[in-house]
Amino acid sequence: MRLEDLFLETLKDIFFAERQILKGLPKLAKAAADPKLREAFMHHREETEGQVDRLRQVFEVLGKRAQGKTCEAINGLLEEGEELLELAPQPSPVRDAGLIATAQAIEHYEIARYGALVAWAKALGNDQIARLLQETLEEEKKTNTLLTQMSATINRTALAA
Ligand code: FE
Ligand code: FE
Ligand code: FE
């Protein structure tokens, strides 16, 4: 297997993952009690649409068909989110704290994948692809930071509840 092949396999993995996330974020938003948290999830859902478009562009640059490959990691993380909603069936600040942790696990997975893809695109000398994926990487990092900031207030509220 060449680095090009590893890159393409991982691109298919994150393409599948982003589309699962696109379906998962409205569920997280619907479950959120805090309106600002709900808004943050919906904003990131919109951003995710752009990220899927960028991935399609990357496939196009490579001359490959945009194709996903089942990512058990993202399926597992989303399943953990469903479990949380079973454990905490009512909206509450504690459930919000759990939703943030779920969302951050997802962002961390994305950051890990895009981090590797950007590094490989650079190693392969494809600056155009590296730039496209770097843009998404920055969005994922920003989202993660925002969630950390929001958790400060929500965790305090959860403790007092
Ligand atoms: Fe994403
Ligand atoms: Fe994966
Ligand atoms: Fe994300």
Side-chain angles (χ1 to χ4, degrees):
M1 190 192 222
R2 299 166 311 155
L3 190 59
E4 285 95 318
D5 305 321
L6 182 63
F7 181 91
L8 185 61
E9 287 308 301
T10 307
L11 193 67
K12 291 176 184 175
D13 175 275
I14 196 68
F15 186 62
F16 175 91
E18 289 289 16
R19 287 190 302 173
Q20 292 297 98
I21 293 165
L22 210 48
K23 289 190 262 176
L25 279 168
K27 293 184 191 170
L28 295 183
K30 208 176 149 220
D34 184 310
K36 273 182 285 182
L37 182 59
R38 198 179 315 142
E39 205 185 287
F41 287 147
M42 287 317 284
H43 173 72
H44 195 51
R45 201 207 72 92
E46 262 176 55
E47 242 169 16
T48 301
E49 283 184 351
Q51 296 176 351
V52 169
D53 285 346
R54 268 185 216 122
L55 289 173
R56 289 188 193 281
Q57 284 182 58
V58 172
F59 279 110
E60 209 178 299
V61 172
L62 292 173
K64 304 281 182 190
R65 190 165 71 87
Q67 188 187 6
K69 187 182 101 183
T70 304
C71 169
E72 298 297 355
I74 202 68
N75 284 345
L77 292 173
L78 289 165
E79 228 169 83
E80 282 189 3
E82 308 274 353
E83 259 174 59
L84 169 71
L85 298 184
E86 281 171 33
L87 284 168
Q90 298 305 322
S92 73
V94 174
R95 190 166 86 169
D96 280 1
L99 290 173
I100 289 179
T102 295
Q104 286 195 286
I106 293 169
E107 294 314 312
H108 288 197
Y109 180 72
E110 294 184 289
I111 289 165
R113 281 289 172 259
Y114 282 109
L117 284 167
V118 168
W120 294 336
K122 284 180 184 166
L124 291 165
N126 200 323
D127 294 339
Q128 188 192 359
I129 288 178
R131 269 196 306 276
L132 279 165
L133 297 173
Q134 180 72 40
E135 246 183 278
T136 296
L137 177 58
E138 295 308 325
E139 287 175 356
E140 311 295 22
K141 286 183 180 172
K142 226 182 64 196
T143 302
N144 182 56
T145 301
L146 175 70
L147 290 168
T148 299
Q149 287 164 355
M150 296 188 88
S151 76
T153 324
I154 287 174
N155 291 343
R156 268 197 306 275
T157 317
L159 189 61

